[in-house]
Amino acid sequence: MLDAGLHLLADQNLASLGVREVTREAGLSPAAFYRHFPDLAALGVALVEESLASLHIMIRAVLAEAGGAEELIDRAVDVIERHVREHRGHVRFLARERHGGVRQVREAIDAELGRFAAEVGAALAPQPESRGWSERDLRMLAELYVDHMVSTAAAFLEALETDPAREQRIAATARFQLRLISLGRERWQAG
Amino acid sequence: MLDAGLHLLADQNLASLGVREVTREAGLSPAAFYRHFPDLAALGVALVEESLASLHIMIRAVLAEAGGAEELIDRAVDVIERHVREHRGHVRFLARERHGGVRQVREAIDAELGRFAAEVGAALAPQPESRGWSERDLRMLAELYVDHMVSTAAAFLEALETDPAREQRIAATARFQLRLISLGRERWQAG
DNA sequence: AAGTTCAGCAAACGATTGTTTACTGAATGG
DNA sequence: CCATTCAGTAAACAATCGTTTGCTGAACTT
C-alpha cells in the first residue's frame, strides 16, 4: 500500500491523492484502505518515516567517515547524489511535501530534519575546527549544512528528471559551495 | 480570480485545487473560469508571475544598497523578513509549488529563480572581493545566496504560521550563516 | 476444536467534480 | 447605429469521489 502511494506520488501531490486511487494502484478494494490508515494524512506520515529512515543511514555514513575537509566534502556530495538516484521516490516525496498542503506531514518532516541537524551538530563538536564555538553557533552551522543538503538533493532530483547531463554541474556547484562554507568556518574564530 | 485562487492555496496546493472551488470562492459560475484560463496550470503560472514580481523588486532593493558586508547582511535579512510578512500568500505559494505536482509551474519558478541568481551574480562581479573570480565561480556563489534566501524565507513563513516568537532566532541564524559564507568568500582567493 | 482477530470483498449512498453547450446583456468600435 | 467582442449565466453530462455497511474466509489463540 505504501509502495502504491509512493508510486502515485511520482507526479502528484499528497493533498490531491485519492483513497480510491491508492487502492486501485495497489490492486485492492477501496474499503481495504481503512483497514490500515484512518486518513490519507496518516499514510503520508508513514511515508515520511519510511523516507527518512534511509536518509538517516546515509547521513550517518557521511559523518562516520573521518578525513580532511576536502575528502569529506567530495564524499558527502557523492553520497547525496547516489542516494537521490537510488531513492528517487522518497526524495521527491520529501521535497514535495516539506512545504506541501498537509500540516501533519510538514511537521513530521521538519521535526526529523531538526533531529538531523542536531546529529550533524553533535558530530561537528569534537572536530578541531570547532574549538571555541558555542553550542548555538554549532547548531546554526549544522542547519546550514542540512539546508544545503536538502537544496542539493532537490537540484539533483530535478536534473535527473529533466536533463541528466546537468548532474555534474550540480555536483561541482555543491562542492564549491561546501568548500566556501568550510573556509568561512575555519576563519570564524579569527573574526 | 487570482486573488480567490491565492486565498484557497493558503491551506491547499495547486494540484488539489478545483475549478469549481476557485469560481465558488470568487463568486462566479464554474463556466466563467474558462473565459480566463484554459487550465488550472495556467492560473498557477499567472500566480508565479504575480508572486515573483514583488520578489524581484525586493532583491533589487537589497542589491542596490551599497555598504560593508555586515550592514548588507543585516539589511538583506530584514528585507526578507518584511517581505514574507507582507506577501505571505505569495511566498507560501512559491515555497509550496517549487517542488509541487504541476510541472509547468515548477519550471516557471525555477526559470525565474535562475534569473535572480544571474542578477545577483552580476551585482557581485564589480565588488572588490570578487577580484580574480571566474564567472562560473561567481554564478555558484550567487546560487548559494539565492538558495539560502529561499530557505530563510520558508523558515520565516513556517515560523509566522506556527510560532511567531521563533522569528528572531531565524533571523539571527540567517545572519550568522551569511556572515560565514561572506568570510569564506573573502578567504577564497587565498586558497 | 472453538473462538477471535484480521484483511479482504461487493455494494451502495449522496455529494462533488470537470467540461460543454446554448444563451444573455453590456461595452466597444467603426 | 449596427456589429462584434467580452464576461458572465444556467443546465446538463457522465464520472469519480469518500465512507459505511454487512459479509467472508483465513490465520492465530487457547
Side-chain angles (χ1 to χ4, degrees):
Chain A
M1 186 90 77
L2 288 175
D3 294 348
L6 199 59
H7 186 252
L8 269 305
L9 289 168
D11 24 36
Q12 217 165 155
N13 149 356
L14 184 58
S16 73
L17 201 61
V19 171
R20 291 186 113 106
E21 212 174 348
V22 176
T23 57
R24 192 184 312 131
E25 173 82 13
L28 299 178
S29 102
F33 175 85
Y34 298 94
R35 300 288 179 193
H36 302 269
F37 308 99
D39 255 344
L40 275 168
L43 182 140
V45 174
L47 276 177
V48 172
E49 291 164 9
E50 195 185 73
S51 300
L52 288 170
S54 57
L55 216 163
H56 216 149
I57 294 175
M58 177 200 97
I59 291 200
R60 282 180 202 270
V62 173
L63 293 182
E65 195 92 359
E70 278 306 304
E71 308 108 70
L72 214 148
I73 286 175
D74 289 353
R75 176 155 174 78
V77 173
D78 279 353
V79 169
I80 293 175
E81 182 170 3
R82 195 166 46 126
H83 185 267
V84 171
R85 208 178 301 130
E86 289 176 2
H87 301 85
R88 194 192 298 210
H90 283 156
V91 174
R92 181 170 34 211
F93 169 74
L94 291 175
R96 188 161 289 175
E97 302 301 332
R98 181 174 186 205
H99 305 290
V102 184
R103 183 161 31 88
Q104 312 182 43
V105 171
R106 256 181 351 226
E107 286 171 0
I109 295 177
D110 255 41
E112 201 67 31
L113 285 182
R115 254 166 258 141
F116 281 175
E119 195 163 343
V120 171
L124 255 35
Q127 295 181 350
E129 297 95 327
S130 303
R131 178 176 305 278
W133 281 51
S134 73
E135 195 149 340
R136 213 177 95 102
D137 288 354
L138 271 178
R139 170 66 186 221
M140 294 193 288
L141 174 63
E143 283 178 13
L144 179 57
Y145 279 140
V146 170
D147 282 350
H148 185 265
M149 181 195 75
V150 170
S151 293
T152 301
F156 271 132
L157 180 66
E158 191 69 18
L160 258 183
E161 317 214 319
T162 64
D163 179 11
R166 219 183 251 168
E167 260 187 285
Q168 290 181 16
R169 208 180 77 89
I170 292 173
T173 299
R175 281 190 293 262
F176 171 87
Q177 294 170 338
L178 283 174
R179 251 173 278 155
L180 219 57
I181 295 173
S182 181
L183 280 178
R185 182 187 173 199
E186 288 172 19
R187 209 193 192 196
W188 178 257
Q189 43 200 354
Chain B
M1 186 90 77
L2 287 175
D3 295 347
L6 198 59
H7 186 252
L8 268 306
L9 288 168
D11 25 36
Q12 214 165 157
N13 70 36
L14 184 60
S16 74
L17 201 61
V19 170
R20 291 185 111 105
E21 212 173 347
V22 176
T23 58
R24 192 184 313 130
E25 174 82 12
L28 298 178
S29 103
F33 175 84
Y34 297 95
R35 301 288 178 191
H36 302 269
F37 307 98
D39 256 345
L40 274 168
L43 182 141
V45 174
L47 276 177
V48 172
E49 291 165 9
E50 196 185 72
S51 300
L52 287 171
S54 57
L55 216 163
H56 216 150
I57 294 175
M58 178 200 95
I59 292 200
R60 282 179 202 270
V62 173
L63 292 183
E65 195 91 358
E70 278 307 303
E71 308 109 69
L72 214 148
I73 286 175
D74 289 353
R75 175 155 174 78
V77 174
D78 279 354
V79 168
I80 292 175
E81 183 170 4
R82 196 166 46 123
H83 185 267
V84 171
R85 208 177 302 129
E86 289 176 2
H87 301 85
R88 194 192 296 212
H90 284 155
V91 173
R92 181 169 36 211
F93 170 74
L94 291 175
R96 190 162 287 175
E97 301 301 332
R98 179 172 186 203
H99 305 288
V102 183
R103 183 161 32 87
Q104 312 182 45
V105 172
R106 258 182 350 228
E107 286 172 359
I109 294 178
D110 255 42
E112 201 67 30
L113 285 182
R115 254 165 258 141
F116 282 175
E119 195 163 342
V120 171
L124 256 36
Q127 295 181 349
E129 296 96 327
S130 303
R131 180 175 303 278
W133 281 52
S134 72
E135 195 150 341
R136 213 177 94 102
D137 289 354
L138 272 177
R139 170 66 187 221
M140 294 192 288
L141 174 62
E143 283 178 12
L144 180 57
Y145 280 139
V146 170
D147 282 350
H148 186 266
M149 181 195 73
V150 170
S151 294
T152 301
F156 271 131
L157 181 66
E158 191 70 19
L160 258 184
E161 317 214 319
T162 64
D163 179 11
R166 218 183 252 168
E167 259 187 284
Q168 291 180 18
R169 208 180 78 88
I170 293 173
T173 299
R175 281 191 293 262
F176 171 87
Q177 294 170 339
L178 283 174
R179 251 174 279 155
L180 218 58
I181 295 173
S182 181
L183 280 178
R185 183 188 174 200
E186 288 172 19
R187 208 190 193 198
W188 178 259
Q189 45 201 350

